[in-house]
């Protein structure tokens, strides 16, 4: 069976809207879950929304 790479979950900074790849967390030997970064690399804020929820997010 061919290996299919996982697509990382992406998060959007609610302050400056820069998109970040989630930090991989080992769920099992072959799967990961993803968490938002601790802070935005662009503005330093720590509030993120999953990219899939971005269109529904309102401040």
């Amino acid at each position: 069976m061919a290996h299919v790479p996982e697509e990382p979950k992406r998060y959007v900074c609610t302050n400056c809207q820069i998109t970040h790849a989630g930090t991989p967390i080992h769920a099992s030997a072959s799967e990961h879950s993803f968490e938002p970064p601790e802070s935005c690399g662009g503005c330093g804020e720590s509030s993120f929304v999953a990219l899939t929820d971005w269109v529904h997010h309102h401040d």
Side-chain angles (χ1 to χ4, degrees):
M1 181 190 300
H3 174 73
V4 177
E6 290 182 72
E7 179 74 24
K9 189 170 183 179
R10 292 175 285 174
Y11 296 91
V12 179
C13 174
T14 60
N15 184 56
C16 69
Q17 301 180 7
I18 290 177
T19 303
H20 297 272
T23 303
I25 306 298
H26 290 278
S28 69
S30 62
E31 293 185 21
H32 298 88
S33 61
F34 295 91
E35 295 181 351
E38 290 185 23
S39 62
C40 176
C43 70
E45 292 291 325
S46 60
S47 180
F48 296 90
V49 174
L51 182 63
T52 55
D53 297 330
W54 181 246
V55 296
H56 305 290
H57 173 73
H58 303 284
D59 279 339

